Amino acid sequence: QKEVEQDPGPLSVPEGAIVSLNCTYSNSAFQYFMWYRQYSRKGPELLMYTYSSGNKEDGRFTAQVDKSSKYISLFIRDSQPSDSATYLCAMRGNQAGTALIFGKGTTLSVSS
Amino acid sequence: DGGITQSPKYLFRKEGQNVTLSCEQNLNHDAMYWYRQDPGQGLRLIYYSQIVNDFQKGDIAEGYSVSREKKESFPLTVTSAQKNPTAFYLCASKASPTGYQPQHFGDGTRLSIL
């Protein structure tokens, strides 16, 4: 079983839709969870950063962590064509200096 | 503007040739990382450095070498021993190797074989 599983998509939605992106993981030691957005031919940019379980909201984006189910989600409300990108989840353990483990990314396309 | 600069954006390698990818950051970050990204594979760690003059192998270090002579610079050399070098290479940095801050990335170098 891979440490982090992420549905690669592609996921296509109309403008204004609510998008749900998800990752599952197997290592119960993971405590820090990140979502990165990557546009074509660009580096990943940090969208959301959460610690342990719970929700975090930033504008149209909400990150959820359910440690009991080893499941994290990123919700995008009122999706826009500019949200079309690949979304990568990433996570690491609590011990300082441990490596960041990435999902393979989900490609999202929002049509106008 | 503070950030991570990778150059060149595109690079072509001939058979048997070593090539060096540049990564420079002006964020005063201690830790720097090199990743390789292949389609459908996600990011895989090649090398990382927590402090000047020190670096460690990541998961796929074979065929690559690095140096860290200055805090702001972490060049990656793809050697002729790397038989499948075609990929998108990403450099990242973090303020402290032992802190809980996230990593920030440059815009990558795409390497292809001639």
Side-chain angles (χ1 to χ4, degrees):
Chain A
Q1 182 185 11
K2 295 192 188 305
E3 276 198 291
V4 179
E5 300 271 10
Q6 186 176 7
D7 186 339
L11 183 60
S12 295
V13 302
E15 184 175 356
I18 297 174
V19 176
S20 172
L21 304 166
N22 312 295
C23 287
T24 59
Y25 62 94
S26 57
N27 189 342
S28 58
F30 288 151
Q31 294 277 0
Y32 294 88
F33 304 92
M34 284 138 271
W35 285 95
Y36 287 86
R37 177 175 62 195
Q38 186 177 22
Y39 291 116
S40 181
R41 299 186 182 86
K42 291 288 195 178
E45 68 177 303
L46 182 69
L47 268 182
M48 302 288 280
Y49 180 44
T50 54
Y51 171 71
S52 195
S53 285
N55 293 0
K56 184 175 182 178
E57 189 173 320
D58 184 1
R60 296 185 295 110
F61 299 90
T62 299
Q64 269 186 4
V65 176
D66 182 348
K67 289 195 68 187
S68 62
S69 302
K70 298 191 182 68
Y71 189 87
I72 69 170
S73 300
L74 177 71
F75 296 97
I76 307 174
R77 290 184 299 279
D78 188 24
S79 56
Q80 302 294 310
S82 59
D83 294 329
S84 299
T86 296
Y87 290 80
L88 300 159
C89 64
M91 51 198 77
R92 54 166 288 183
N94 202 34
Q95 188 175 7
T98 53
L100 206 54
I101 307 299
F102 285 86
K104 293 184 178 181
T106 300
T107 299
L108 172 66
S109 177
V110 182
S111 56
S112 57
Chain B
D1 275 341
I4 301 168
T5 302
Q6 290 189 242
S7 62
K9 285 195 179 304
Y10 301 95
L11 187 58
F12 297 91
R13 195 191 89 169
K14 294 179 182 178
E15 292 289 339
Q17 186 182 45
N18 293 352
V19 291
T20 297
L21 285 61
S22 170
C23 177
E24 302 276 332
Q25 53 96 0
N26 60 4
L27 301 166
N28 200 33
H29 283 178
D30 286 321
M32 297 186 73
Y33 306 81
W34 274 106
Y35 292 90
R36 170 179 172 142
Q37 188 176 33
D38 295 279
Q41 292 273 350
L43 275 67
R44 292 183 289 170
L45 183 63
I46 304 172
Y47 267 99
Y48 65 101
S49 169
Q50 296 182 325
I51 196 169
V52 174
N53 292 322
D54 186 52
F55 48 82
Q56 285 79 40
K57 293 181 179 180
D59 299 323
I60 55 164
E62 186 174 349
Y64 300 96
S65 65
V66 293
S67 62
R68 187 88 186 275
E69 297 176 1
K70 298 187 295 183
K71 186 175 184 177
E72 59 270 24
S73 178
F74 190 40
L76 173 74
T77 296
V78 184
T79 74
S80 57
Q82 172 51 247
K83 297 307 179 188
N84 184 22
T86 298
F88 191 45
Y89 290 87
L90 289 160
C91 178
S93 71
K94 189 159 79 81
S96 164
T98 57
Y100 298 109
Q101 313 90 346
Q103 294 178 17
H104 296 273
F105 287 84
D107 274 341
T109 293
R110 189 166 298 278
L111 175 63
S112 303
I113 294 292
L114 277 178

